[in-house]
Amino acid sequence: MEKTERVPLMPAPTPLHRLHRLEEQWGCPKIYIKRDDMTGIGPGGNKIRSLEYILGEAVKEGSKVILAAGPAQSNLCTLTAAACAKVGLDCELVHNGTEPEKKQGNLLLNQILGVKSHFLGDVDSDARNAFVEELFEKYRREGRNPYVVRNGATTGRGALGYTAAVPELMKQCQAQGITGMTIFAPGGNGGVAAGLVYGNAVMGNPFRIVIVSVEDDRENLKKHIADTVREVEAITGIPAGKSVEELCSIEDGFRGRGWGVNTSESAREIFEFARAEGIFIENIYNSKVLVGMRDWLGKGKAKGPVCYLHTGGFGSLFAQY
């Protein structure tokens, strides 16, 4: 890990603290939050940890322009643009969607950052990715040595960000006298989950990890995580030692109709959590993790201290209502 290319972006560690009002409301003690919405770049969020390693590789390769793609309100795109600004790299974003007359949410932040954005209209992710490859080839021919942030930063290199987060969290728990913690984290395309699972494994499994799916069923999410863990192993040369199902629990009962679609419980949690703790969570992703954690605690499936990993997404919240 220490030898892997990395550019420092965030003021680590991010805070770890109790949620006292939530404890009172839920009737459960020792509920913590890991504030990865406070990663110090742009609106903050989990992708900054990944981008430290991804942009580290880009800088080593001498890249002059970074390409990232996603829906109009993509948190990854905005955080990539903000991170590139800090590092001094050009960044271009590709969106499948129509450019609105009035920019809101992450699109407003992208405009403030001065990043060039391409809007492709109503096309699918395959067409969007094909356009990215065309841009890549164009800039390669021009000698700009472009670099693409692929698969929403869910790669072995991107997952190293959360591999490194495990010893960070271990030190915080040691300082606060916390033992036997269960971490609840989101599972989208598996990048955060893979980094946590792998990092926890190589550190001797100090934590119990529960991954709450926001999109796929258990088997598909397990495959995403396992594929990314194998990429991490190839980079570090250190095996995880066990299968994904041995290293974490995957909960797919709170995803509703999948990514980008609220459940009634997750929609309600947005308001209840903010009104209990003064902390904002976005409308679709983090909220489902909170619903899953609440259910596990209510059923006694998690014993001892628990930690809600807040992965950010604040910028997109402004365009979700």
Side-chain angles (χ1 to χ4, degrees):
M1 284 285 295
E2 291 80 5
K3 297 179 181 178
T4 306
E5 299 81 12
R6 172 180 167 268
V7 292
L9 294 173
M10 54 177 282
T14 57
L16 173 73
H17 63 80
R18 292 274 291 272
L19 295 173
H20 293 288
R21 285 257 297 151
L22 205 69
E23 292 175 358
E24 293 174 7
Q25 292 183 7
W26 289 9
C28 299
K30 298 182 180 179
I31 301 177
Y32 292 80
I33 185 171
K34 176 65 169 166
R35 298 294 303 274
D36 273 14
D37 58 320
M38 299 175 66
T39 47
I41 300 292
N46 62 295
K47 299 297 184 183
I48 295 299
R49 290 191 186 271
S50 300
L51 287 165
E52 288 196 326
Y53 290 90
I54 290 170
L55 294 185
E57 182 179 53
V59 168
K60 182 190 178 187
E61 294 178 356
S63 297
K64 302 302 181 186
V65 58
I66 309 299
L67 304 176
Q73 289 298 328
S74 166
N75 294 314
L76 167 69
C77 285
T78 297
L79 290 174
T80 301
C84 284
K86 182 174 179 63
V87 178
L89 296 170
D90 289 337
C91 179
E92 290 192 22
L93 306 176
V94 178
H95 300 296
N96 46 336
T98 304
E99 182 174 7
E101 289 186 17
K102 182 179 180 181
K103 303 294 195 300
Q104 294 179 310
N106 280 327
L107 288 181
L108 175 59
L109 300 181
N110 297 344
Q111 180 176 299
I112 292 170
L113 287 163
V115 68
K116 183 177 181 179
S117 299
H118 304 266
F119 293 87
L120 306 183
D122 188 18
V123 302
D124 61 17
S125 58
D126 289 338
R128 183 190 70 206
N129 293 338
F131 184 86
V132 172
E133 296 306 320
E134 291 174 11
L135 269 185
F136 176 85
E137 288 301 325
K138 174 180 181 291
Y139 291 143
R140 186 184 62 80
R141 291 191 299 269
E142 294 174 358
R144 298 185 68 191
N145 197 13
Y147 185 100
V148 179
V149 179
R150 300 188 184 278
N151 195 31
T154 296
T155 61
R157 190 165 296 277
L160 288 173
Y162 272 92
T163 296
V166 173
E168 175 184 309
L169 187 55
M170 288 174 65
K171 290 178 183 178
Q172 289 178 300
C173 286
Q174 184 178 22
Q176 297 185 38
I178 305 166
T179 58
M181 176 177 276
T182 300
I183 301 171
F184 287 82
N189 53 8
V192 170
L196 277 179
V197 166
Y198 177 79
N200 197 51
V202 298
M203 295 303 293
N205 296 294
F207 305 110
R208 181 186 182 190
I209 297 178
V210 179
I211 304 300
V212 180
S213 177
V214 302
E215 181 173 6
D216 290 320
D217 61 33
R218 182 179 289 103
E219 287 305 309
N220 279 317
L221 179 53
K222 182 175 71 174
K223 182 180 185 304
H224 294 327
I225 297 170
D227 289 347
T228 307
V229 166
R230 280 192 290 271
E231 291 182 27
V232 181
E233 291 173 331
I235 293 170
T236 65
I238 304 171
K242 294 182 179 180
S243 64
V244 168
E245 53 264 38
E246 293 175 288
L247 295 173
C248 69
S249 299
I250 297 177
E251 173 61 72
D252 65 358
F254 305 98
R255 59 196 173 101
R257 290 186 289 123
W259 190 91
V261 184
N262 257 326
T263 64
S264 58
E265 293 85 2
S266 66
R268 184 171 60 248
E269 206 64 65
I270 300 296
F271 298 94
E272 292 187 359
F273 188 66
R275 293 167 186 177
E277 293 288 348
I279 299 171
F280 297 102
I281 55 176
E282 53 79 47
N283 208 21
I284 294 153
Y285 203 78
N286 288 300
S287 52
K288 291 180 179 178
V289 179
L290 204 58
V291 172
M293 187 174 80
R294 185 174 192 168
D295 183 82
W296 273 54
L297 285 171
K299 293 177 179 177
K301 294 168 69 175
K303 305 293 185 182
V306 299
C307 179
Y308 167 55
L309 177 61
H310 187 344
T311 53
F314 183 66
S316 63
L317 181 63
F318 292 92
Q320 292 178 353
Y321 288 94

